[in-house]
Structures are given as C-alpha cells and as structure tokens.
Amino acid sequence: MSANTESARPGRPHRARFPTKLGLGLLAGAIAAAATGTGLPPVGGQPPPQHASHLELRLGSAVNSRAKNDEDDSGLAWGFAEVRISESWRSGLNGGATLIATPELWQDQPGLYDRVFTESFDIRDLYLGASTPDGATQAWVGRKSFAINPVLDGDSQQGIGASLALGGETQLHLAALSRWIKYSRTHVDARGISGWESVAEANPRAGDVYLALSIEQIRLGEHLSLAPFVNYQDHVLAVYGSTITWSQPLRGHDDAWRWELETILAYYRNQVPVALQPDYQDVWSGRIHAQLHRSDFSVGAGAYWIGDRRNDTGAGLFTDFDPMQEDDLYPYNDRNNLHLFYLDGAFSLGKLALKPALGVGRNQALSSNSLEFDLLVEYPLTPRITLAGYVVHVDFSRDVMPNYSKIGTSLSYAF
C-alpha cells in the first residue's frame, strides 16, 4: 500500500513461519559451507580447493484455487523451474544467482495469470561477495535476500550489505537498498512474481535509499538475548525496535525440549511530509509469541497488535510482522488500531509434516472481527520428489471483504 491510500493491502506471508533471523552473515556462511564442506583442511594437511561450486535445480508444477462466498471461484496452475548457483574461492570472493521461471499451464479467468505473475521469469538473486579469511567480516553487492530484521519486506532486495562479527555470537548487519521485489516465488500460495520496483516509489517524496541495521544475538545472561534494529527511509518512515528472546530447557528434560518466548516491539516514526499526509502520526506495534518446541514438534500461542494511530506501516520496503498466512485486516489500511490472538504449531505424522495455525482478531478502525485457519503440509514421496500443499479459510464479521477459502498443491523434483 502506498502512503496516500486506504485501499486494502494484499496479504503477506509471515516471516516467522519461514525463519530469517539468522541474517546476512549466517546466510553467506551456509552457502560457503555447502560449497566447501567444513572449511577445515583435508586430512594430510592439504589446503582447501581453490574454487568450489554448488548448483541446485528444482522443477515442478502447482495449482491454486480461491473460493469466495459471493463471487465466482478462481483457479490457476503454473509450472516452475528454480535454479540456484553459488560459487566460492579461497581468495574470499563468493557469488550467487537464483533464477525462476513460471510458465502458465491453466487459468479459469482471463488475465488471472498476469495479475499473479507480472513476469514469467525473474532473476531473484545475482550478487558478488567478499569475506576476510576468518569470515568475521563479509560484504555483498547486488540483489539477494538482505532479510536482517522483521520490518524489512520483500523476497529479494538490491543494494549493498555487510556483516561484522562483534565477538561471541553477536553480529552487526547493515544494508543500503535501492530496489526490491515483494514476491518472487514459485510457491503454492500463488504470490507469484510481483515485479521489481524502486524504493523511491513508496510516495512522491520518498528518498532513493532505504537503510537497514540490526545487531543480532546480544546475550544478557544464559537465557536472554536481544536483537535491536533500525530501518530508515527519508520522507517515509524511521522504525526503531528489537526482538527479545528468552529460551530455557524444559525442567526435567534434556535440551531437546525448550520453552521460548519471543517479543518483537517496533516504533514506526512518521517521516511523510505534512503536505502529503497531514494526519499521519507515530505508532507502536508488537508481537509476543510463547512456544514449547523441539526439533520435530512445536506448539505456541501469541498476540499481535498495532496502536490507534494513522500511519502506513507497510509503505514501500517497510512491512509489518503479522503472524498468519493472510491477515487481511492486520492491517487493512493505514488506520491501524487492531489486535490479533493466535495459536500455531508444527509436528510430523511419519513423513508428513504439518503446520496448523488459528487466528482470531479485531480491527477496531473497521469494527470488524475475523477468524483465520491455516494449514501447511509437506510430504516427501521420495528423497527428491516432494508433495506440498496448503489450506486457508477466513471469515469476517462484517462485509469489509467476502469470506473465502484457498487451497493449493504442488509437486516438485529436486536435482
């Protein structure tokens, strides 16, 4: 949503369901580890290889259908190919690219495919990086996921970024970004490819550069850690906040079972000129989530809210950290004033992995309640073939939007 409209904003997937909090440094470390193994010299004292490459290819198809109470159903099917390439050299240089293609297979309404996939092909990642020999300092230029804190939107961003080790587990992440793409994916949820845009399109006076900073894993004792962040764009927003995480083993059990409490607090400070939005104000937002988990099971409950102040918390590259798959009312527009309570979990039945969630909330600005149920499933048919799907149902207490259901499935082969 732009800063000067009250129209409904499209639903956004919740990052916490697909964790990104490890940030830039560990992402590059994972790429390097996949390419070079442990990073230690082989037995016999031989040096590591001068150059290593890693290639992934995934092919498949997906179908998505949406049924509304008072409108015709809509359906769409597409094929997909996703290629990931990473390169690393002993000199400390590294690079990577991700390309996706999504040819249309079927649509039951003219123009539906073009609304979901503005392009049938996208270069989501294309970057060059460098690091010091010990990996303590790393830097990148190009396009990739600079997902360094909860209020940075998009599947990929374009710009420069760096990660610096500050001692222990603490890392400083920085990024200066000029372009971004909200959705660039082949996933069954039919977010599609939304197209690249400049950060300056947030409003007519928006600055040309978006700045993001976070400090990860500031330890305060054995069980508590902080991850403060700041995001800023001239004439749009300045957001100050922190993720606060408390984690402790379940008493009487080993470390496999843990209690975890995650709190995200963010203060959205308005920067939009009065000439554009004379009634915009600063606003607080927060999310608290408690869970009991181990590697193959979790159950949790949480609450999410935005205060009673007018402000576009999702302007341009800024975003909210709403927890559900759709969250149509949270927020619906720049009037905010909302709260949501939710339950979520993850568990396995044999090879079948399930992630259910249930959310009940109210948007006071619209005087409307909603109930949303999500279920994400994944089943490996073979080590290389995966069947995935999801079901969403949303009810509203008022006719702000029609009640609807979504269902989708995909079948993919990983080379």
Side-chain angles (χ1 to χ4, degrees):
M1 183 182 72
S2 66
N4 56 3
T5 180
E6 291 191 11
S7 61
R9 285 161 50 184
R12 297 174 304 282
H14 168 46
R15 291 179 176 84
R17 290 191 302 269
F18 306 97
T20 55
K21 68 178 184 178
L22 290 180
L24 294 174
L26 295 187
L27 175 62
I31 293 173
T36 64
T38 64
L40 298 174
V43 175
Q46 296 299 317
Q50 296 285 339
H51 171 249
S53 301
H54 186 68
L55 172 66
E56 296 180 19
L57 172 62
R58 193 168 65 96
L59 301 176
S61 61
V63 60
N64 184 283
S65 178
R66 177 170 177 152
K68 296 183 180 181
N69 281 7
D70 61 350
E71 298 181 19
D72 294 336
D73 298 349
S74 61
L76 177 67
W78 62 96
F80 60 81
E82 186 167 344
V83 182
R84 297 172 183 262
I85 305 167
S86 64
E87 304 280 344
S88 62
W89 295 268
R90 284 188 63 199
S91 62
L93 293 177
N94 63 81
T98 302
L99 297 83
I100 65 172
T102 56
E104 176 191 343
L105 298 181
W106 166 79
Q107 60 179 350
D108 71 348
Q109 294 180 7
L112 178 58
Y113 173 85
D114 292 333
R115 291 198 299 272
V116 175
F117 297 94
T118 59
E119 304 287 345
S120 60
F121 172 82
D122 185 45
I123 302 174
R124 186 170 63 207
D125 302 328
L126 183 62
Y127 65 90
L128 181 66
S131 66
T132 57
D134 60 359
T137 301
Q138 303 177 68
W140 301 268
V141 60
R143 60 173 59 171
K144 68 191 297 290
S145 177
F146 292 94
I148 63 177
N149 63 51
V151 296
L152 178 63
D153 201 5
D155 285 344
S156 185
Q157 301 86 26
Q158 182 173 301
I160 58 175
S163 177
L164 296 85
L166 301 180
E169 299 176 305
T170 306
Q171 289 187 317
L172 171 66
H173 305 300
L174 304 161
L177 309 169
S178 61
R179 294 178 60 79
W180 70 295
I181 184 168
K182 187 175 184 68
Y183 300 122
S184 177
R185 63 183 65 177
T186 61
H187 192 262
V188 66
D189 62 6
R191 303 295 186 190
I193 300 174
S194 58
W196 286 85
E197 59 184 279
S198 168
V199 298
E201 295 180 42
N203 69 50
R205 297 277 298 278
D208 295 326
V209 179
Y210 180 106
L211 302 174
L213 175 151
S214 68
I215 303 176
E216 184 186 359
Q217 293 283 16
I218 301 176
R219 286 288 181 183
L220 300 178
E222 183 180 356
H223 304 297
L224 187 65
S225 66
L226 302 180
F229 55 84
V230 177
N231 290 23
Y232 176 82
Q233 185 179 0
D234 195 28
H235 293 158
V236 183
L237 278 170
V239 183
Y240 314 100
S242 182
T243 299
I244 307 163
T245 305
W246 173 84
S247 181
Q248 182 171 329
L250 182 63
R251 183 173 299 176
H253 294 74
D254 58 27
D255 284 353
W257 284 96
R258 301 188 69 87
W259 288 107
E260 185 172 283
L261 178 66
E262 181 188 70
T263 302
I264 304 175
L265 296 173
Y267 183 66
Y268 291 79
R269 186 171 182 179
N270 178 50
Q271 303 291 314
V272 179
V274 173
L276 294 180
Q277 291 292 352
D279 55 351
Y280 269 20
Q281 298 174 284
D282 305 340
V283 65
W284 279 96
S285 181
R287 190 181 79 204
I288 299 176
H289 182 252
Q291 68 171 342
L292 174 65
H293 70 92
R294 65 181 186 187
S295 60
D296 60 348
F297 175 87
S298 71
V299 59
Y304 166 71
W305 69 93
I306 303 180
D308 184 13
R309 294 290 186 274
R310 189 166 184 177
N311 196 321
D312 185 0
T313 57
L317 191 45
F318 294 90
T319 192
D320 320 291
F321 35 92
D322 48 290
M324 303 292 292
Q325 179 73 17
E326 299 296 329
D327 278 333
D328 302 282
L329 302 185
Y330 310 102
Y332 180 80
N333 54 27
D334 59 7
R335 293 168 62 189
N336 301 312
N337 192 14
L338 55 95
H339 58 266
L340 173 74
F341 302 98
Y342 65 101
L343 303 172
D344 62 357
F347 60 93
S348 299
L349 298 175
K351 295 192 295 182
L352 179 65
L354 301 101
K355 292 184 178 181
L358 178 68
V360 179
R362 179 171 179 80
N363 185 312
Q364 276 302 137
L366 301 175
S367 299
S368 179
N369 304 327
S370 74
L371 182 148
E372 177 177 341
F373 171 75
D374 304 333
L375 178 62
L376 311 180
V377 299
E378 187 172 289
Y379 185 82
L381 299 174
T382 73
R384 294 186 177 274
I385 301 176
T386 300
L387 179 67
Y390 87 128
V391 177
V392 171
H393 180 76
V394 185
D395 280 336
F396 303 98
S397 64
R398 291 186 59 194
D399 294 335
V400 177
M401 297 176 63
N403 301 337
Y404 66 88
S405 298
K406 284 185 176 182
I407 186 169
T409 58
S410 68
L411 187 66
S412 63
Y413 184 91
F415 290 84

